[in-house]
Every structure is written in C-alpha cells, then in structure tokens.
Amino acid sequence: MTPDTLAAAGELLAGAEWQTALARMLGPLHPQGARESLDVSLVRKWVRQERAIPAWVQPALAKLLAEQPAKLAKQARKCEALAKRLAPC
C-alpha cells in the first residue's frame, strides 16, 4: 500500500481532516488487540514515508471502505427525514 492510497482511503472515510479520524477507526482493528485509537503521529509518519505502512492496514481499510456505503445510505435516509420535518408546510 502506498501513502497515496492510504490518503485516498482516509479522505473517503473521513473527509479532508482524515488522519486523526483514521487513527481512531484503525484502533479497534489493530491485530495485537483493539484499542481506542492509534497514535495519529504514526499515521502521519506513514503518509510522509517515515515509517512503513504495516501489512494489516490494507485489509483493515478494505473492511472500513466496504462498510461505508451502507453507513452513508443510512445517514442519507436520516438527512431526508430530518429535512422533511424541518421544511415549512
């Protein structure tokens, strides 16, 4: 996995300020045991190629990305419902 691929996945999952959010998303998927979050400085080092991206990150990102469409669809339905409630009669 390249830093560009990591950044593309991070942006799709969490938007422009993705590094901290991605550290939180990857924490529970850590192969040595779930944790609240990874250290965001580690993610930044991966992006700057100061540290290699561990092999476990690629399948973890694939899992997170595969779950994203269903989450977005659910969020879209909630947005539509709230918009209807807020719209003037």
Side-chain angles (χ1 to χ4, degrees):
M1 166 176 288
T2 67
D4 288 340
T5 303
L6 177 70
E11 288 179 19
L12 283 171
L13 290 166
E17 301 295 324
W18 61 270
Q19 293 175 353
T20 300
L22 187 64
R24 274 190 247 111
M25 289 178 198
L26 289 173
L29 302 175
H30 195 282
Q32 293 178 346
R35 47 203 72 187
E36 188 174 325
S37 180
L38 299 181
D39 185 338
V40 70
S41 68
L42 182 59
V43 175
R44 291 183 179 125
K45 288 176 183 179
W46 295 341
V47 173
R48 293 189 306 258
Q49 298 182 348
E50 293 173 5
R51 299 255 328 242
I53 301 168
W56 68 269
V57 172
Q58 184 169 329
L61 287 176
K63 178 185 184 316
L64 292 169
L65 288 165
E67 295 169 349
Q68 192 71 348
K71 287 181 181 180
L72 292 173
K74 183 177 179 180
Q75 187 176 8
R77 289 189 299 274
K78 287 181 178 181
C79 287
E80 290 170 348
L82 184 55
K84 285 179 184 177
R85 284 185 28 215
L86 295 173
C89 297

